[in-house]
Amino acid sequence: MGNASRLIWVLALSITLSACGDSDQGIGAPTQLQAVGIKSQVHVSWSPPSDGAVVAAYRVYRDDVEIGEVTTTSFVDELPGDEECVTRQYTALAVDADGNASPRSEPAASSLPLSNVIIMIGDGMGPEHERAAGCYLFGPDHGSDGSELVFETLPVQGQMTTYSANSDITDSAASATAIATGHKVANNVVSVANPGDERDLYTILECFADQGRATGLVTTTQISHATPACFAAHQPVRLLQAAIVVDYLEEARPNVLFGGALHMTPELAADAGYEAVTTRAELDALPDDTEFASGQFAPDHMPYEYDATQTEDDPYDVIPHLHEMVTAALGRLEENPEGFFLLVEGGRIDHGGHENSIERNVLETVAFDEAVEAVLAWAQGRDDTLIVITADHETGGLDVVECNAAGDWPTVTWSTLDHTGVPVNTHAWGKNADRFGGTIDNTDFFTAISSGP
Ligand SMILES: [Zn+2]
């Protein structure tokens, strides 16, 4: 090809481009483009050109590359399921019956479909654990109207499978990793790809943080324990709790870290720029606009609720119950106008199960349900918030033989001191709650939360 013909070809290309880019052809661009969803599915929608031109088709672009043409004013961009939660920019243009293209619309970046997401995990809380707590509160009436745990009254109820990558019976780390990242891993692994290349697996908490939202972890265990760790840390094994604390304070930096201490001391938190508190009084005095708040309310795990009822010197006279930590967390997180992600763990339901202690187990579940009540009270009237309550696995092989009177312990049997593989329940409320009905797997959380609209 000679120089002259190449010049003509380049000229023709630039004319075509400018015809697409500038509308001397009279058709206006689509308006009010929106893009919702950030992992496997982004819903892109727009309004027709405001000049009222008859539109034959719309072309949709992702990051300046055309990805499809439709005759409707919406488009679903299906992305590979292992995509991370990264922001993409979408534009669209309109084409009229003569083939004239409008300029591209104003761009819209993909975003999360929900403002606020609250995941609440009762660690080791199988269906029979829920039933045992219901029996304790309501006696044989449990399950009838007005005699239910708060989470049993939510509009969506379902079941969830919990197996890990290397076992039918998961541990807390593998299940929390599945919930937090959408990936199955081997037991004891904290949000890295094992089996696999050991890369960090992106978590839903990190996704919210990257979208400018506030984030928080609240638990009754040590704050660096497996369940919260999988949302904001990446380590080959859960026992590396000092390293998990470093991940929290130097990498993920959740705005709220409330629970037991052990590996995360108030000094470490303060050195990392957190306001560190250790009592209910200090927590109550913390200003709402504290950007980074850390509460270490016990030197190890928080005390068992049951044990606190058996002593003259109730530690909960001085430190907050789970529902109080949750209310305080919500007070901080709601300060972010973009929204937030909060993980709440009733972490010692599991410990009561491992000990086959129905008293400790039941009162931890009751305290967890009070935290659910606090979250629902906060969320009343909102249409931009999702609340999901579930468990990571069952612990103890619990079976409720008989509901006794309200206030009495139910008659139960246990089959193991360890976890079991029985499916756990899901309870959900709010926007997109229906995605948690029926039977789901613990890996379904990430996409259910991040996909639009
Ligand atoms: Zn667990």
Side-chain angles (χ1 to χ4, degrees):
M1 194 190 290
N3 277 349
S5 61
R6 186 181 302 156
L7 184 64
I8 291 164
W9 185 82
V10 169
L11 210 61
L13 184 69
S14 76
I15 288 165
T16 310
L17 276 177
S18 74
C20 277
D22 294 313
S23 176
D24 6 2
Q25 311 296 339
I27 182 165
T31 59
Q32 298 176 320
L33 189 92
Q34 291 190 316
V36 181
I38 45 176
K39 197 193 180 193
S40 58
Q41 226 184 42
V42 178
H43 291 244
V44 186
S45 61
W46 55 87
S47 300
S50 51
D51 58 11
V54 177
V55 178
Y58 294 95
R59 289 184 201 142
V60 185
Y61 297 77
R62 180 208 309 139
D63 297 333
D64 286 338
V65 177
E66 186 179 334
I67 52 171
E69 189 168 291
V70 290
T71 55
T72 53
T73 55
S74 66
F75 182 86
V76 178
D77 189 16
E78 300 276 1
L79 298 154
D82 57 356
E83 284 282 324
E84 289 188 349
C85 133
V86 293
T87 304
R88 296 175 188 77
Q89 203 164 67
Y90 291 88
T91 51
L93 62 73
V95 183
D96 70 15
D98 299 326
N100 300 315
S102 75
R104 296 236 210 118
S105 66
E106 290 296 314
S110 59
S111 66
L112 287 158
L114 297 153
S115 295
N116 313 305
V117 171
I118 302 158
I119 297 179
M120 306 183 73
I121 297 177
D123 199 311
M125 186 180 73
E128 289 293 285
H129 298 248
E130 298 179 5
R131 198 166 149 227
C135 287
Y136 174 79
L137 289 178
F138 306 107
D141 286 346
H142 172 233
S144 61
D145 233 13
S147 300
E148 294 172 288
L149 297 164
V150 175
F151 56 68
E152 291 177 315
T153 67
L154 299 191
V156 176
Q157 307 278 334
Q159 275 206 323
M160 186 172 83
T161 49
T162 67
Y163 62 93
S164 72
N166 67 340
S167 176
D168 290 340
I169 299 176
T170 189
D171 84 315
S172 297
S175 193
T177 295
I179 293 169
T181 73
H183 293 267
K184 294 280 187 196
V185 297
N187 286 358
N188 298 311
V189 171
V190 177
S191 290
V192 299
N194 173 9
D197 56 10
E198 304 242 329
R199 72 186 187 282
D200 291 356
L201 297 172
Y202 198 66
T203 76
I204 194 75
L205 180 146
E206 291 167 332
C207 173
F208 270 67
D210 286 350
Q211 300 280 317
R213 319 286 175 95
T215 61
L217 302 174
V218 177
T219 181
T220 50
T221 63
Q222 303 149 0
I223 190 69
S224 54
H225 215 241
T227 303
C230 294
F231 286 83
H234 305 277
Q235 292 296 332
V237 287
R238 56 185 285 180
L239 291 176
L240 297 173
Q241 286 183 264
I244 286 166
V245 168
V246 172
D247 281 358
Y248 287 173
L249 298 178
E250 295 183 5
E251 301 289 337
R253 290 186 68 77
N255 299 91
V256 168
L257 290 167
F258 292 162
L262 194 59
H263 297 272
M264 193 171 85
T265 62
E267 293 72 29
L268 269 179
D271 285 350
Y274 280 72
E275 285 295 327
V277 299
T278 59
T279 64
R280 175 189 289 119
E282 289 176 0
L283 181 64
D284 288 348
L286 207 56
D288 275 348
D289 61 358
T290 307
E291 192 179 359
F292 295 103
S294 171
Q296 297 84 18
F297 301 109
D300 196 292
H301 301 304
M302 303 281 285
Y304 279 120
E305 293 284 346
Y306 173 72
D307 294 15
T309 67
Q310 301 299 303
T311 169
E312 292 287 291
D313 196 15
D314 181 351
Y316 286 103
D317 290 344
V318 178
I319 62 174
H321 294 281
L322 180 58
H323 71 89
E324 296 171 286
M325 290 196 284
V326 164
T327 299
L330 291 168
R332 313 269 104 68
L333 298 174
E334 70 180 1
E335 293 286 307
N336 185 320
E338 302 296 317
F340 63 81
F341 173 84
L342 173 62
L343 181 275
V344 178
E345 185 197 23
R348 305 208 71 192
I349 299 169
D350 173 68
H351 296 169
H354 279 294
E355 296 164 352
N356 289 181
S357 163
I358 194 62
E359 298 87 353
R360 285 174 164 176
N361 184 260
V362 159
L363 290 197
E364 291 304 306
T365 306
V366 170
F368 179 67
D369 196 47
E370 286 166 359
V372 175
E373 187 174 19
V375 167
L376 279 171
W378 176 85
Q380 275 323 300
R382 301 195 73 111
D383 59 7
D384 59 354
T385 297
L386 168 69
I387 301 167
V388 191
I389 293 96
T390 190
D392 51 351
H393 54 77
E394 196 271 352
T395 303
L398 181 65
D399 185 36
V400 176
V401 178
E402 194 169 2
C403 263
N404 298 315
D408 288 346
W409 308 112
T411 306
V412 302
T413 61
W414 303 87
S415 68
T416 176
L417 293 169
D418 215 326
H419 302 170
T420 72
V422 306
V424 297
N425 289 339
T426 58
H427 315 271
W429 178 96
K431 189 175 178 191
N432 295 343
D434 56 322
R435 298 176 183 184
F436 297 87
T439 298
I440 63 168
D441 183 65
N442 54 11
T443 52
D444 293 332
F445 266 67
F446 195 117
T447 298
I449 288 168
S450 60
S451 298

